[in-house]
Amino acid sequence: MPHFDLFFKTEDLRRRLEPHLGLIPPFFQFTVRTGTPEVRYFDQKDPMWKGFPFPVPEGAVYVFDDDIPARALGGGMHMRASVRVTRADRDDEALVLRIWHEILHAIGQPADDMVKRAGEWQSISDKVVWAAWQSLSRPLDAPFWHRKFYAWLTERAASVAGGR
Ligand SMILES: [Zn+2]
């Protein structure tokens, strides 16, 4: 089971988001901390990643606020992840889904492939709702679908870890 040291930059972020961590299945284990891990920065010439702090220690996840002038909302790889919380972010559960997305990347799961893999992760009833959703032109990038897809990816990762 992957274990992460989950750093919230401020007490305020921790108070907001820690109560919602139960959305993420217990396959992922956290030690929650307040503060900043050792971070590094990617290529500063790349505008997307300019100013984006990324943890150095393996297993560290960093959740930071807009006092840090970054552009990307999140990144994850090699058992490390960072998530940005913007001033416009009001939905705390959606932010926890953003953490879940990045830690899936951190363990090598294809967290961006929700639409591409729809045929694999959806139940029959999901397919019906998905089609109706599309016919109403509702955006598919929605917490309702993210939760289902991330749950599927997590089970997939857990079954590999369990050798089944
Ligand atoms: Zn992604």
Side-chain angles (χ1 to χ4, degrees), residues 114-122 127:
M114 181 176 80
V115 174
K116 199 161 89 189
R117 290 176 181 262
E120 292 176 66
W121 61 266
Q122 290 181 340
K127 289 185 208 309

Side-chain angles (χ1 to χ4, degrees), residues 12-164:
D12 183 54
L13 283 174
R14 182 174 178 167
R15 256 195 311 271
R16 269 180 74 184
L17 301 180
E18 190 175 12
H20 301 289
L21 286 178
L23 273 177
I24 301 175
F27 172 67
F28 291 103
Q29 309 254 294
F30 298 108
T31 300
V32 178
R33 306 172 187 279
T34 306
T36 300
E38 186 191 343
V39 294
R40 67 189 181 91
Y41 295 87
F42 298 122
D43 184 358
Q44 293 298 289
K45 287 182 286 273
D46 182 340
M48 175 55 84
W49 297 107
K50 196 173 161 51
F52 189 84
F54 198 74
V56 173
E58 185 171 346
V61 177
Y62 184 38
V63 180
F64 63 95
D65 58 26
D66 265 347
D67 289 342
I68 292 177
R71 170 146 174 237
L73 287 177
M77 60 178 180
H78 304 146
M79 282 301 287
R80 296 156 179 86
S82 274
V83 169
R84 174 175 154 228
V85 176
T86 75
R87 286 181 182 84
D89 285 314
R90 297 273 177 258
D91 183 342
D92 295 345
E93 290 199 353
L95 287 169
V96 171
L97 291 177
R98 189 177 295 163
I99 296 172
W100 193 359
H101 180 103
E102 298 306 341
I103 60 177
L104 282 164
H105 276 309
I107 64 166
Q109 290 293 322
D112 296 331
D113 292 354
M114 181 176 80
V115 174
K116 199 161 89 189
R117 290 176 181 262
E120 292 176 66
W121 61 266
Q122 290 181 340
S123 67
I124 305 278
S125 61
D126 286 339
K127 289 185 208 309
V128 173
V129 179
W130 181 264
W133 200 287
Q134 281 175 303
S135 71
L136 296 169
S137 304
R138 292 180 66 179
L140 295 169
D141 234 346
F144 177 80
W145 296 115
H146 290 158
R147 275 180 87 148
K148 286 172 183 275
F149 177 57
Y150 301 164
W152 180 78
L153 282 181
T154 301
E155 261 178 48
R156 193 170 170 261
S159 70
V160 171
R164 274 176 284 133

